Amino acid sequence: MTSLMDSVFRNRAGDAPRAAQIGRGLEQPVSPRDAYVIARFIAFAALALVAWSFQDGATSQRLALLLVGAAIAQPALPLFGSDQDSYRLVQVISDVLTSAIAVFLAPAYFWLGVVGVASIVANFAVLTPMRRYVPVAICSVAAIGAAGALTGIDQFARAALLLAILAAGHGYMGARTRQSMGAARGDVLEAISAAGGFAYVCDLQTGRIVDVAGDVERVVGWDTDSWKLVDHRDLIHPDDLSGFWLDFDDAKVGEYADRTARFRRPDGTWVWIRDLTRVVTIAGRRSLRGFSIDVSSQQDGLARVENEAATDELTGLPNRRALLAELAVREHQVGHHLVLIDLNRFKEVNDTLGHDAGDELLEVVADRVSACLGPTDVLARLGGDEFAIIFDGELDEVHVAAEVERVAFEVERPVEVSGVVVTVSLSAGIVRAEQGASDPVTMLRHSDISMYAAKRTGVTSVLFDRALEAVTSRQAAIIGSLREALDSGDLCLHFQPIMDVGTGVMAGVEGLARWDHPDFGLLTPEAFLNTVLMSEQSGEFTRRMVLHGVAAASELVSAGIDVTVAVNLPVRVLEDPAFDRFVLESCDAHGVDTGRLVFEIAEQDIHDTVSITSAIDRVVQMGSTISVDDFGTGHATFERLRWGNVEQLKLGNEAIRDAVERSRDRAILKSVLGLAVELGYSVVAEGVETHEQLDLLRTFGCPLVQGYLFAPAMPIDAVIEFAAAQRGRGEAGRVSSVPPRPFD
Ligand code: C2E
Ligand code: CA
Ligand code: CA
């Protein structure tokens, strides 16, 4: 208490005297101008007139004079005691004195005096406690008795006795009345207390509580006196103050307020108080009359719900909603960055090791990213394997890109989940808050565009710019027309011949996707493949391409051309348990032997060797061949050679080109080729463009070649013509070191 008051006085030193005064409570000081005082003045003046009208000679003059004096004394009474209690006492003393003098002056009206005094004390009996009433009643009886004795009225002793009996009766009645009034008030207060509340009156001008009833201490922790003395602005939580505090100037009488705020308890904890109040006038002063209840449990529940709604359950990080809110806070600022992060290959972990492992991985990622960030940066999980970072403050792009690299480095370190060591990489889209594009929705959309650009191009991060948006709208147009293109056959396979180096004849073809787009012309996979594979229609696209491959195989067989047909597949399709059924049914429908089909999977696409091995086994059992595409561009090249059921390896364009140019690469190509052939793989060298390359490959014992030197990818009819022309040319058309042109 002392320390509280100290702090109040320290905080608002100038207000100290005011603070000290306010403790007196509800009772407004009685002023000479109060209506009540004026009414008494008028009443005494009127009585004086009545006394004057008695025409009783000197007696009525003296009485009238006395009553005029009493009237004049009324406005002076508050000077002897201005608070309600003191005024009441001064008033009753003055009234009894006036009555006693009146009796003394006009003994003929003796009984009137007795009745008057009796009614005065009756009023006092109801309003004041016994301990104040009793002396006043005794003095009144004594005064009247003395007045009677002095004037020699013979019945004065009996009259005084009667007055004493009346006073005692009034005293008893007053005590009873106060008790029952108190009990009624107690019932109401008990009800309010039971609801965890208390009632109060507050002076709006000072902002202080002037009267309070109920168990204040239980609710707010402060005892009643402290609660009245302290300036509540010092107790209300700063965040709640503006919503709670009513300004004197704004509050209109009759206005109702329902407000909630946190109040600081003496022990430093907070209690939520809901306050229902009305602006009223009490004794001429604008005041608040209302009651306060403790709503902490409801508010805490609300806060918990709000908190849960803003938190990602798995990682405890802010969720999408919270991120949007954080961005909204910065809506009118520029210079901060939003980074959208998406993990690559997360789905594989989830699918092969299970959801628990996936969750575990996400938690590790969340921890690692958090550890990279500064105290003002915000990390959120948007759902699935998507995270977002807000880098606060003005940073230049190079700095942010470096930060993202650091995050990527941490995330890409191997993680052990469910006893298996896995690695994931990430793709990030960075967007800087610029004038006119710093609202949450735009920022998120732009970061999404750049994140997909990063995924498409296989880099860690891409910074958003306007050109990217144009590319994206083109991608959107592509996706938009995909379905139609698949149905119309605008998007289909062209076939590139694969030549046998030894015999010089076409040994197979590889299907490569081509899109004859009505707006953009003939598109190669570079323009659409990643977008399509990332879209929801990726599965449909792949099935259609496989069907094109099967149809081509059937046409080639019909034309008497005995070759294999290769189709490129994303690993995730190969792993789909429904895939072999689909292939079998497609082959059945076209009367094609599954042994004609080769499925090419890119080496970089292979991560989890356990699940891929069983998928490969299923395909091999079906009679088809698995070819590992772009072999040597991924990691652990030789380790890959240990897979039992892979039959074919394809060496990428670069390996062949570099081998001609650099002796070191030539040595590598020679040893890889030698080892692969030794291990029994059929090897295809791709991207063969020159005779020099072909000669080198032949020297190194490469059995199969593919490239522009022989033919580009062509519609199936052109492939059939190509084969026919080759047959027609016989030996001369065969693959040789010095053909005039690979084909004409
Ligand atoms: P890839 O499977 O490695 O295909 C070989 C790529 O090299 C093809 O590019 C082909 O047109 C090109 N090429 C052929 N001969 C030469 C040459 O002598 N010199 C040079 N520089 N390039 C040559 P394309 O058709 O643009 O395909 C690119 C990649 O797209 C393919 O690489 C393949 O990974 C993917 N792809 C193509 N079609 C499909 C498909 O239907 N499904 C899937 N999932 N991927 C496909
Ligand atoms: Ca391929
Ligand atoms: Ca390839």
Side-chain angles (χ1 to χ4, degrees):
M1 177 66 206
T2 330
S3 69
L4 169 67
M5 285 184 58
D6 281 354
S7 82
V8 169
F9 293 150
R10 246 199 327 275
N11 287 350
R12 297 164 197 273
D15 290 356
R18 195 185 70 185
Q21 256 179 16
I22 286 158
R24 289 204 201 114
L26 174 65
E27 295 146 5
Q28 304 292 333
V30 181
S31 97
R33 285 192 305 277
D34 274 357
Y36 179 70
V37 176
I38 293 168
R40 282 175 58 88
F41 171 85
I42 294 169
F44 275 108
L47 273 177
L49 274 176
V50 171
W52 185 261
S53 69
F54 284 168
Q55 306 258 305
D56 206 356
T59 307
S60 53
Q61 278 174 23
R62 271 178 297 188
L63 260 185
L65 212 65
L66 170 71
L67 291 167
V68 167
I72 293 169
Q74 289 313 308
L77 293 187
L79 300 179
F80 296 96
S82 66
D83 66 275
Q84 300 271 354
D85 277 354
S86 321
Y87 173 77
R88 212 174 286 144
L89 187 64
V90 173
Q91 181 213 310
V92 77
I93 290 171
S94 127
D95 287 358
V96 168
L97 257 175
T98 308
S99 304
I101 297 171
V103 167
F104 179 72
L105 293 177
Y109 302 112
F110 179 74
W111 289 107
L112 213 61
V114 172
V115 174
V117 172
S119 81
I120 291 164
V121 294
N123 175 37
F124 195 65
V126 174
L127 291 174
T128 60
M130 238 359 172
R131 66 192 143 81
R132 301 188 80 183
Y133 172 73
V134 171
V136 169
I138 291 172
C139 289
S140 307
V141 171
I144 293 296
L150 282 174
T151 46
I153 304 165
D154 24 350
Q155 303 101 321
F156 80 89
R158 263 181 280 160
L161 181 65
L162 177 64
L163 183 58
I165 295 168
L166 280 176
H170 286 316
Y172 173 71
M173 229 184 69
R176 282 283 305 273
T177 309
R178 272 202 318 280
Q179 208 177 13
S180 61
M181 273 166 60
R185 184 175 140 104
D187 282 348
V188 174
L189 287 182
E190 221 161 88
I192 293 175
S193 296
F198 54 86
Y200 68 90
V201 173
C202 168
D203 186 313
L204 253 177
Q205 198 156 1
T206 58
R208 304 293 167 93
I209 302 293
V210 288
D211 194 15
V212 57
D215 199 347
V216 179
E217 193 162 354
R218 208 193 71 194
V219 178
V220 290
W222 301 102
D223 62 64
T224 306
D225 285 338
S226 314
W227 189 246
K228 283 178 170 178
L229 273 169
V230 73
D231 187 328
H232 286 187
R233 277 171 292 188
D234 293 333
L235 298 185
I236 297 174
H237 196 287
D239 292 351
D240 304 339
L241 187 61
S242 64
F244 192 91
W245 201 253
L246 287 179
D247 262 335
F248 180 74
D249 296 333
D250 301 340
K252 306 274 171 297
V253 171
E255 197 178 296
Y256 174 80
D258 180 349
R259 52 215 180 125
T260 304
R262 274 161 289 179
F263 280 77
R264 184 162 45 79
R265 286 203 184 91
D267 63 6
T269 59
W270 297 97
V271 53
W272 279 100
I273 297 290
R274 178 171 175 198
D275 183 72
L276 299 137
T277 195
R278 192 179 283 284
V279 183
V280 293
T281 312
I282 296 176
R285 290 173 74 91
R286 235 186 303 168
S287 308
L288 296 176
R289 195 198 286 279
F291 75 102
S292 299
I293 47 174
D294 176 358
V295 290
S296 297
S297 53
Q298 292 94 313
Q299 286 292 333
D300 290 350
L302 263 182
R304 205 172 37 248
V305 168
E306 249 166 48
N307 189 38
E308 276 167 13
T311 310
D312 170 52
E313 215 178 306
L314 176 69
T315 59
L317 292 174
N319 61 13
R320 175 179 290 268
R321 215 174 111 175
L323 180 89
L324 286 171
E326 287 284 350
L327 286 173
V329 169
R330 296 163 175 81
E331 179 154 3
H332 301 293
Q333 302 165 12
V334 292
H336 57 279
H337 289 76
L338 173 68
V339 179
L340 185 66
I341 290 176
D342 191 280
L343 301 183
N344 302 320
R345 306 204 297 270
F346 173 74
K347 200 178 167 295
E348 276 171 41
V349 174
N350 230 11
D351 291 351
T352 55
L353 300 179
H355 285 285
D356 288 346
D359 286 354
E360 216 179 303
L361 178 61
L362 287 173
E363 283 176 85
V364 172
V365 168
D367 287 346
R368 288 184 181 178
V369 179
S370 292
C372 296
L373 304 182
T376 58
D377 303 331
V378 179
L379 171 64
R381 177 172 170 232
L382 305 188
D385 58 350
E386 230 177 43
F387 293 84
I389 304 171
I390 301 173
F391 283 110
D392 230 354
E394 281 269 352
L395 291 175
D396 65 278
E397 272 108 55
V398 180
H399 186 96
V400 175
E403 288 293 309
V404 174
E405 280 300 334
R406 207 157 64 86
V407 168
F409 178 80
E410 284 302 314
V411 169
E412 288 169 14
R413 280 192 293 121
V415 189
E416 192 182 317
V417 286
S418 302
V420 180
V421 177
V422 297
T423 53
V424 284
S425 61
L426 62 78
S427 302
I430 306 174
V431 57
R432 184 187 144 91
E434 303 284 4
Q435 206 74 49
S438 58
D439 63 287
V441 175
T442 308
M443 295 256 318
L444 211 56
R445 190 168 61 82
H446 287 175
S447 67
D448 203 58
I449 289 172
S450 33
M451 190 272 284
Y452 272 96
K455 266 201 195 298
R456 263 200 316 277
T457 49
V459 296
T460 303
S461 70
V462 166
L463 178 74
F464 176 80
D465 65 23
R466 291 282 156 195
L468 211 53
E469 205 165 20
V471 173
T472 308
S473 52
R474 187 178 146 129
Q475 301 293 339
I478 285 174
I479 291 295
S481 52
L482 178 63
R483 163 106 263 151
E484 213 184 305
L486 288 173
D487 288 342
S488 68
D490 282 351
L491 177 47
C492 63
L493 287 183
H494 283 195
F495 297 89
Q496 184 174 35
I498 297 170
M499 315 300 289
D500 186 315
V501 177
T503 62
V505 296
M506 186 167 82
V509 291
E510 178 187 1
L512 294 162
R514 293 291 180 269
W515 188 340
D516 193 5
H517 198 283
D519 298 331
F520 306 123
L522 187 71
L523 302 176
T524 58
E526 193 195 0
F528 60 84
L529 189 68
N530 280 334
T531 313
V532 170
L533 290 183
M534 271 189 297
S535 78
E536 283 172 0
Q537 300 175 65
S538 146
E540 176 65 11
F541 163 79
T542 306
R543 281 191 294 278
R544 293 291 187 118
M545 294 306 113
V546 170
L547 276 177
H548 277 291
V550 172
S554 143
E555 282 194 49
L556 288 167
V557 171
S558 308
I561 303 167
D562 179 21
V563 295
T564 58
V565 175
V567 177
N568 293 282
L569 282 188
V571 161
R572 102 182 91 87
V573 172
L574 187 75
E575 285 172 345
D576 182 348
F579 178 68
D580 9 314
R581 259 275 289 292
F582 170 75
V583 173
L584 283 171
E585 282 170 7
S586 309
C587 285
D588 258 7
H590 284 87
V592 169
D593 177 9
T594 46
R596 275 202 192 277
L597 297 183
V598 176
F599 294 106
E600 296 191 8
I601 50 175
E603 200 207 87
Q604 297 107 301
D605 206 10
I606 300 167
H607 301 286
D608 176 35
T609 48
V610 179
S611 88
I612 188 90
T613 308
S614 62
I616 290 172
D617 288 346
R618 286 200 298 274
V619 172
V620 170
Q621 246 156 34
M622 198 166 68
S624 305
T625 302
I626 291 290
S627 173
V628 174
D629 206 352
D630 301 326
F631 181 77
T633 55
H635 12 245
T637 302
F638 282 100
E639 201 186 326
R640 300 280 192 232
L641 289 179
R642 284 203 248 110
W643 292 338
N645 278 325
V646 171
E647 269 180 47
Q648 191 178 69
L649 303 177
K650 297 188 83 169
L651 301 182
N653 304 1
E654 274 145 59
I656 312 304
R657 198 184 49 228
D658 295 347
V660 174
E661 281 157 20
R662 286 197 292 264
S663 60
R664 193 160 170 275
D665 291 314
R666 194 158 43 242
I668 292 172
L669 179 66
K670 185 181 176 186
S671 56
V672 169
L673 254 174
L675 189 57
V677 172
E678 183 90 346
L679 289 170
Y681 289 101
S682 123
V683 180
V684 182
E686 289 182 305
V688 181
E689 293 179 355
T690 65
H691 292 288
E692 202 183 351
Q693 290 168 343
L694 179 61
D695 286 342
L696 197 63
L697 289 162
R698 198 200 304 275
T699 321
F700 291 161
C702 180
L704 296 164
V705 286
Q706 177 184 354
Y708 296 158
L709 180 64
F710 318 103
M714 308 170 282
I716 191 65
D717 299 342
V719 172
I720 292 171
E721 276 174 35
F722 170 78
Q726 212 195 16
R727 247 187 249 146
R729 262 193 252 111
E731 227 12 71
R734 292 213 174 148
V735 176
S736 70
S737 55
V738 278
R741 292 184 70 80
F743 72 96
D744 283 311

